[in-house]
Amino acid sequence: ASQEADKLATEINLAVEGGYVDDIPNQTLQWSGMQSYNSGDYEQSAKSLGLVATPDEPRATPKEVWRYLAKARLQTGDYEGALTAANNVLAVEDNPAWKADGQLDRGRALLALGRPAQARKAADDALALRPQGRTSGGLRILVGDLEMEAGNPKKASAEYLIVVGFLDDKDLKPLAISRLVKALDAQGDKTEADKYRRQLNAEFPEWKAR
């Protein structure tokens, strides 16, 4: 009630360790998990939201829980868990924009799991829904990553450039620039690669790839 997310996360961990987690309302766990995600504590977010999730009955879990859980698990490297959560997003979500977002997370998980053909299908299905903003930018980066995986750095560069040129996002733009630098290096275009290295350092001096 006092909106102290950090202290609440500590209490949740104590409850889990003491065997009292069943006494915590799901609404409390959900709020805590989302707050942890937004503050960058992805491990805690995945832990709290995982306590709310019902994999055997996806529709018994709020859509937002599956959505945040997929993203938190991606950030922590739990790609199988992220894929499960993303699949459950798609099983319960009707909104086209959120379905595209779920397909993006599914594609990212599949690529990380070494299943590029399925990741490409997820990306194509998402793009067919004509998403906007961050989802569109994330999909362009995913497609670029898939092209790099396939040995096509020139095609990858074209995808990354769309994000660099048209999306002013503090997370996705520096990621796209860093990916673009790698793609240009792979093409042997040192001049352009150095240009974007300087842009990355100038615009996002504190940014580091996760």
Side-chain angles (χ1 to χ4, degrees):
S2 63
Q3 306 285 298
E4 296 187 63
D6 291 343
K7 292 182 179 179
L8 177 57
T10 299
E11 294 300 321
I12 288 172
N13 289 335
L14 288 171
V16 172
E17 292 167 8
Y20 296 104
V21 71
D22 289 342
D23 296 323
I24 304 176
N26 282 352
Q27 184 179 6
T28 300
L29 292 166
Q30 180 177 339
W31 184 82
S32 178
M34 291 180 178
Q35 293 300 310
S36 293
Y37 183 88
N38 290 329
S39 68
D41 188 348
Y42 304 117
E43 291 280 359
Q44 182 62 44
S45 177
K47 183 185 297 183
S48 296
L49 295 174
L51 294 169
V52 183
T54 54
D56 294 334
E57 296 182 58
R59 291 189 179 276
T61 299
K63 299 174 184 179
E64 294 79 8
V65 170
W66 289 127
R67 191 178 305 134
Y68 274 83
L69 184 55
K71 296 179 187 304
R73 286 175 172 173
L74 280 170
Q75 293 288 351
T76 61
D78 178 10
Y79 300 120
E80 285 287 1
L83 181 59
T84 296
N87 284 339
N88 284 330
V89 169
L90 297 170
V92 303
E93 186 58 75
D94 299 316
N95 181 286
W98 288 124
K99 285 185 78 72
D101 183 72
Q103 289 285 13
L104 168 58
D105 288 340
R106 185 171 186 272
R108 290 176 60 200
L110 287 165
L111 178 57
L113 291 168
R115 295 152 68 179
Q118 293 179 50
R120 171 71 73 165
K121 176 66 165 56
D124 289 344
D125 288 347
L127 289 168
L129 295 168
R130 300 184 181 278
Q132 304 296 315
R134 282 180 60 88
T135 302
S136 177
L139 284 164
R140 291 298 178 185
I141 292 174
L142 173 59
V143 172
D145 292 347
L146 286 163
E147 293 293 356
M148 286 293 288
E149 180 83 7
N152 301 316
K154 188 171 183 178
K155 289 183 177 180
S157 296
E159 298 292 340
Y160 299 140
L161 269 171
I162 293 172
V163 181
V164 173
F166 298 102
L167 187 65
D168 188 16
D169 183 282
K170 65 182 180 63
D171 297 315
L172 294 182
K173 185 173 181 179
L175 178 61
I177 296 173
S178 70
R179 295 282 214 275
L180 177 57
V181 168
K182 291 180 181 179
L184 291 167
D185 278 336
Q187 297 173 67
D189 192 343
K190 185 177 185 304
T191 300
E192 282 294 293
D194 286 345
K195 181 181 97 173
Y196 285 106
R197 280 193 187 89
R198 290 192 294 272
Q199 180 179 345
L200 181 60
N201 291 331
E203 293 185 20
F204 305 95
E206 298 181 2
W207 183 84
K208 293 181 181 178
R210 293 192 182 97

